[in-house]
């Protein structure tokens, strides 16, 4: 199943994001999760304001375990995390 994981940064948390970034990237690389696409969500002035993942996981719970073990989550970066089922339509 595919899932969209949207993570919204707490206000004024860019410094925390940058301090945790290398551990976050290492976690994603080592997680074994099938990442379809991932990256930061950006403000109108191109500053990171959150993270977006499109993943393939066995269940919503597996997607939740993946994100809950992320160093960004462990550091308290996110104000809110939404996990929703997703279905690719394009490209066909």
């Amino acid at each position: 199943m595919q899932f969209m994981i949207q993570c919204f940064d707490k206000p004024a948390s860019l410094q925390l994001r940058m301090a945790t970034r290398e551990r976050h990237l290492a976690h994603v690389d080592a997680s074994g999760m099938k990442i379809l696409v991932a990256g930061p969500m950006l403000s109108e002035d191109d500053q990171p304001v959150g993270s977006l993942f499109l993943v393939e996981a066995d269940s919503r719970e597996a997607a939740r375990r993946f994100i809950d073990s992320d160093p960004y989550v462990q550091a308290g970066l996110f104000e809110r995390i939404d996990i929703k089922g997703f279905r690719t339509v394009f490209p066909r």
Side-chain angles (χ1 to χ4, degrees), residues 5-10 13 17 24 39-43 47-53 72 77-78 80:
I5 305 171
Q6 285 182 288
C7 307
F8 300 88
D9 290 2
K10 291 178 180 173
S13 60
R17 172 178 276 275
H24 158 74
M41 298 185 297
L42 303 175
S43 66
Q47 295 300 307
V49 294
S51 297
L52 174 70
F53 298 87
Y72 279 167
L77 176 64
F78 300 131
R80 188 176 99 229

Side-chain angles (χ1 to χ4, degrees), residues 69-84:
S69 63
D70 191 301
Y72 279 167
V73 173
Q74 302 296 315
L77 176 64
F78 300 131
E79 181 173 67
R80 188 176 99 229
I81 298 172
D82 294 337
I83 301 175
K84 302 212 184 306

